[in-house]
Amino acid sequence: MVRNMADAHSMALDLDQCKRFASIFDDNGDGLIELDEFVTFSRFMIVMAFLHSQEGELTLSIAMEPDAVAQMNGMGSSAGGVPPGTPQQMPMEMPMEPAEEPASPTSPAHLAVDCEFYKKKSDKLMEENENMRERLRALEEAVRALQGVVEEQDIKLRHAEVDLRASGFR
């Protein structure tokens, strides 16, 4: 998983590097990623997946470069323009007085909104995961019960076969 995230060759990473990466999420230092630590790891993976998407790369470039909006104007629809309905395409009236500069996407308020969003998303995924685990346990239990029934039927059939052979029928 670490190799795939880093987009590295299998020989480029060794066990020590993977252990160091895992230690980032191992808050209690026991060498294991516990459930609550896994939630943090999952959040990290969600953010990384977003940042590796086209939309995430654009968002990151906007956050890192104030001039990235100009680059975004060239990355619109297949016709080369800005997608319909985007703020860049809509006509804007020029204000008479200079407006306040909007808060940057990396301001604490924006980061708090993002954090809350990903926490809710992570909590929802954790709840769905627990529901799926419970369904899996129930299905495994049903499979074990059915296997028991099949085994009982198999032994009954073998006994019936022995009885038939003993009575002279074949």
Side-chain angles (χ1 to χ4, degrees):
M1 179 171 36
V2 174
R3 184 188 62 204
N4 289 341
M5 265 183 16
D7 197 23
H9 187 273
S10 62
M11 301 305 280
L13 290 172
D14 62 13
L15 184 60
D16 186 52
Q17 291 169 320
C18 292
K19 284 181 180 178
R20 284 188 299 174
F21 175 76
S23 71
I24 293 170
F25 303 99
D26 184 16
D27 293 333
N28 61 5
D30 65 354
L32 301 172
I33 305 254
E34 304 294 329
L35 182 61
D36 59 328
E37 296 166 336
F38 184 74
V39 170
T40 304
F41 173 72
S42 298
R43 288 179 182 150
F44 171 80
M45 293 302 293
I46 291 169
V47 171
M48 288 302 295
F50 172 75
L51 290 176
H52 280 90
S53 71
Q54 185 177 6
E55 184 183 359
E57 288 176 2
L58 180 61
T59 302
L60 188 59
S61 68
I62 290 171
M64 300 304 281
E65 298 177 24
D67 298 330
V69 174
Q71 292 176 358
M72 187 173 76
N73 286 332
M75 295 182 68
S77 62
S78 59
V82 178
T86 59
Q88 291 81 14
Q89 185 192 41
M90 295 179 170
M92 289 180 34
E93 295 180 15
M94 296 300 290
M96 298 304 279
E97 297 177 16
E100 277 188 36
E101 191 170 307
S104 84
T106 57
S107 72
H110 282 276
L111 293 174
V113 168
D114 290 344
C115 184
E116 182 181 340
F117 169 78
Y118 287 113
K119 182 177 181 345
K120 285 180 181 178
K121 191 170 187 173
S122 175
D123 290 343
K124 180 181 175 187
L125 290 172
M126 191 167 59
E127 183 179 327
E128 287 177 10
N129 192 12
E130 187 58 35
N131 289 339
M132 292 173 112
R133 280 190 185 125
E134 287 178 24
R135 289 176 58 196
L136 178 63
R137 284 185 206 114
L139 288 172
E140 286 175 340
E141 191 175 304
V143 166
R144 280 192 289 276
L146 289 173
Q147 284 174 334
V149 169
V150 168
E151 288 172 357
E152 288 177 22
Q153 292 294 328
D154 184 50
I155 196 76
K156 287 179 182 178
L157 284 172
R158 288 183 183 191
H159 283 289
E161 185 179 350
V162 168
D163 291 342
L164 280 174
R165 284 188 185 154
S167 66
F169 291 105
R170 188 156 195 221

